[in-house]
Amino acid sequence: MTDLPYNPSRGQSQMTKMVLRIVLYVLLGLFALFYLMPLFVMLTTSLKSLDEIRTGDLVSLPREVTFDAWRTAWSTACTGIQCEGVRPYFLNSLLIAIPAVMISTLMGALNGYVVAQWRFKGANIFFALMLFGCFIPFQVVLLPMARMLGIMGVAGTIPGLIFVHVIYGLGFTTLFFRNYYVSIPSELTKAAKVDGAGFFRIFWSIFLPLSLPIIVVTVIWQFTQIWNDFLFGVSFSQAGTQPVTVALNNIVNSTTGVKEYNVDMAAAIIAALPTLFVYVVAGKYFIRGLTAGSVKG
């Protein structure tokens, strides 16, 4: 049995691929380090005392770990004239985000189902108008929305903020579900109609059980947008209904007393924990759900 002749070009090609792969990993590592450095600084600063922050290095590990800043940020930090911490505002954000996500997701699913499977005259125009709503800047809707909330009698209330987030998020949720539902064969709907199933029976029994990937995408998207929102929260809320982002801004910009950087960092991490949790738990399903309906339509 004769050995195959050595091919120098083949060995050189493999070496080039290995070098490129190493360079790629190094670049990705540097990008990850650059991206995670602010989170590292926030976490380490929140675990330090004020004396150590003043005398130590910004990126150094804490010499003595203390959670006093976290307790202060949660329960006693001043957000103006009140010193209740971020706890009541955190609960306000939960009361706003959870219903708004559920309502906007369900309404987006119904809209996407209608546009994709129950074609009617003007469906494309309707979808185009809904899509147009995704690109309207927040600032444009402030005055009309404030007027509408005043007419409805829910200005400065948590139901009013829920209404604002549902309306503004409806264009995105409709887009997500419509693009997902167009990939489902229309013959499935026709067969269900032949069997006597109606509009809502087909939706609840057939389409909704198939929608788990896009529901995950919509929930992650809406929850992140609503939880991180500051403009609507500061514009349409009042004392007692402000979300956690507004409280965080008030804590950081408070001018009374000593500037407690460790409390500021702890409050920022507390405010970001829910969205971090959502992405850690369900982030891998986000891209999978987005691409699930990309084959057709």
Side-chain angles (χ1 to χ4, degrees), residues 89-266:
Y89 306 95
F90 191 94
L91 296 177
N92 286 343
S93 288
L94 288 177
L95 293 175
I96 294 168
I98 294 176
V101 169
M102 294 176 61
I103 296 172
S104 60
T105 300
L106 179 59
M107 293 182 66
L110 283 169
N111 286 341
Y113 167 61
V114 170
V115 174
Q117 296 291 330
W118 294 74
R119 305 294 297 177
F120 59 91
K121 187 176 181 180
N124 291 332
I125 297 177
F126 171 79
F127 178 66
L129 292 175
M130 294 292 294
L131 190 61
F132 177 74
C134 298
F135 302 99
I136 298 178
F138 283 19
Q139 295 82 354
V140 174
V141 302
L142 289 181
L143 289 178
M145 188 64 73
R147 176 62 176 164
M148 181 62 67
L149 293 177
I151 294 174
M152 296 172 61
V154 292
T157 65
I158 288 180
L161 284 171
I162 294 173
F163 175 78
V164 171
H165 287 297
V166 168
I167 294 300
Y168 199 85
L170 201 55
F172 291 100
T173 59
T174 301
L175 172 65
F176 293 155
F177 279 97
R178 182 264 176 191
N179 288 347
Y180 184 80
Y181 285 154
V182 293
S183 65
I184 299 177
S186 59
E187 288 76 11
L188 196 62
T189 304
K190 295 177 182 177
K193 290 180 181 178
V194 171
D195 292 338
F199 177 87
F200 287 105
R201 179 63 182 275
I202 296 174
F203 175 73
W204 290 108
S205 301
I206 298 177
F207 279 83
L208 206 58
L210 297 174
S211 305
L212 182 59
I214 202 63
I215 288 176
V216 172
V217 170
T218 306
V219 168
I220 292 176
W221 175 271
Q222 280 294 91
F223 184 83
T224 304
Q225 297 297 312
I226 294 171
W227 188 273
N228 292 337
D229 169 69
F230 174 77
L231 183 59
F232 288 159
V234 76
S235 301
F236 302 130
S237 66
Q238 59 185 7
T241 63
Q242 294 172 334
V244 70
T245 50
V246 177
L248 178 61
N249 175 75
N250 294 340
I251 290 175
V252 172
N253 293 317
S254 176
T255 57
T256 59
V258 179
K259 189 64 176 177
E260 298 177 313
Y261 295 101
N262 51 355
V263 175
D264 294 346
M265 297 300 179

Side-chain angles (χ1 to χ4, degrees), residues 3 16 41-42 49 83 94 109 134 140 160 182 191 218 238 281 286:
D3 295 334
T16 303
V41 173
M42 290 172 60
S49 64
C83 297
L94 288 177
C134 298
V140 174
V182 293
T218 306
Q238 59 185 7
V281 172
F286 188 76

